Amino acid sequence: DAKTTQPPSMDCAEGRAANLPCNHSTISGNEYVYWYRQIHSQGPQYIIHGLKNNETNEMASLIITEDRKSSTLILPHATLRDTAVYYCIVRVALGSQGNLIFGKGTKLSVKP
Amino acid sequence: NAGVTQTPKFQVLKTGQSMTLQCAQDMNHNSMYWYRQDPGMGLRLIYYSASEGTTDKGEVPNGYNVSRLNKREFSLRLESAAPSQTSVYFCASSGRRDSWSYEQYFGPGTRLTVT
């Protein structure tokens, strides 16, 4: 699985968009980008994933560059409840028996 | 629909004691996982079970055993606890999110301290 690089921490003002970057320069053609987050002391939570097209769901948007070497998770209107550690994970499609490999992630602090 | 449940939520053990962490899911998922998370670190896979009746080692299996009791339940046992096993333990199960990918659902965690 390709390795990812994320900034250790970021701040965002409440109500503004939070843009979390992830570099994955060694990503292979069959590897997807997954984002999970972990709110303090809770289990991780799935956010979104994508292969090469931009993706959007009720939680966030995922923008993947054309060369697929980096991506950005966008929380359009961050709230205090979005304060969490965000993990960018690159791997082949997560099958029914595939485990996730978590790095240290980005600690996002949303401030009033 | 409770999702993934874990018991106990907290536990303190003395070195050498044994205990079993329990995990259950009610989503009819085939695969289940045990991860541990040390302070300031990401999660690391201990063991997983791709389906009922099968178990496999993950990244850090030493000092642990698992049992897939049935499709719903996956337990993690520490036979002789060591201070290095002080950690937060998360159980997860995986289910289909779309036609080609699966999402992992995590339990609330068990906070274990070994003195």
Side-chain angles (χ1 to χ4, degrees):
Chain A
D1 296 338
K3 291 187 176 179
T4 62
T5 303
Q6 298 178 254
S9 63
M10 293 182 64
D11 290 340
C12 177
E14 188 178 19
R16 304 297 295 268
N19 297 287
L20 291 89
C22 180
N23 286 322
H24 31 79
S25 58
T26 59
I27 191 170
S28 300
N30 62 344
E31 290 181 315
Y32 294 77
V33 181
Y34 293 86
W35 284 85
Y36 277 70
R37 74 179 181 183
Q38 186 174 23
I39 296 171
H40 180 62
S41 299
Q42 298 180 21
Q45 177 191 22
Y46 167 87
I47 302 173
I48 198 168
H49 74 285
L51 180 62
K52 55 184 179 181
N53 296 323
N54 298 337
E55 302 287 345
T56 296
N57 63 19
E58 65 279 3
M59 289 183 68
S61 295
L62 174 60
I63 308 298
I64 302 175
T65 58
E66 192 168 345
D67 63 7
R68 303 210 321 123
K69 293 185 177 182
S70 66
S71 59
T72 301
L73 178 74
I74 301 172
L75 307 178
H77 305 287
T79 70
L80 299 179
R81 288 174 293 181
D82 292 322
T83 292
V85 178
Y86 288 77
Y87 296 99
C88 171
I89 299 167
V90 172
R91 57 154 293 146
V92 294
L94 190 66
S96 62
Q97 60 191 63
N99 62 292
L100 296 167
I101 299 175
F102 291 82
K104 294 188 177 181
T106 295
K107 181 175 173 57
L108 175 68
S109 297
V110 180
K111 300 183 184 297
Chain B
N1 189 338
V4 180
T5 57
Q6 294 183 236
T7 55
K9 287 187 169 56
F10 300 94
Q11 184 70 48
V12 179
L13 291 178
K14 294 184 177 175
T15 298
Q17 287 185 318
S18 62
M19 78 162 295
T20 299
L21 282 65
Q22 306 287 353
C23 174
Q25 52 91 9
D26 61 2
M27 297 172 282
N28 201 35
H29 289 166
N30 286 323
S31 300
M32 298 184 72
Y33 313 81
W34 275 106
Y35 293 87
R36 62 176 285 175
Q37 184 174 34
D38 300 322
M41 304 290 290
L43 282 72
R44 292 182 294 170
L45 184 69
I46 305 172
Y47 271 93
Y48 68 99
S49 171
S51 61
E52 187 178 353
T54 69
T55 61
D56 286 285
K57 295 179 180 179
E59 181 185 355
V60 289
N62 291 344
Y64 306 95
N65 287 301
V66 290
S67 295
R68 183 72 182 269
L69 305 170
N70 48 54
K71 192 171 186 180
R72 290 186 63 250
E73 299 172 289
F74 189 37
S75 63
L76 178 72
R77 183 161 178 83
L78 287 69
E79 290 291 351
S80 179
S84 60
Q85 294 178 305
T86 293
S87 190
V88 181
Y89 291 84
F90 290 100
C91 178
S93 67
S94 63
R96 190 181 293 276
R97 163 155 286 277
D98 52 39
S99 61
W100 48 268
S101 188
Y102 289 74
E103 174 184 345
Q104 286 200 7
Y105 297 81
F106 286 81
T110 294
R111 283 145 188 81
L112 175 67
T113 301
V114 183
T115 60

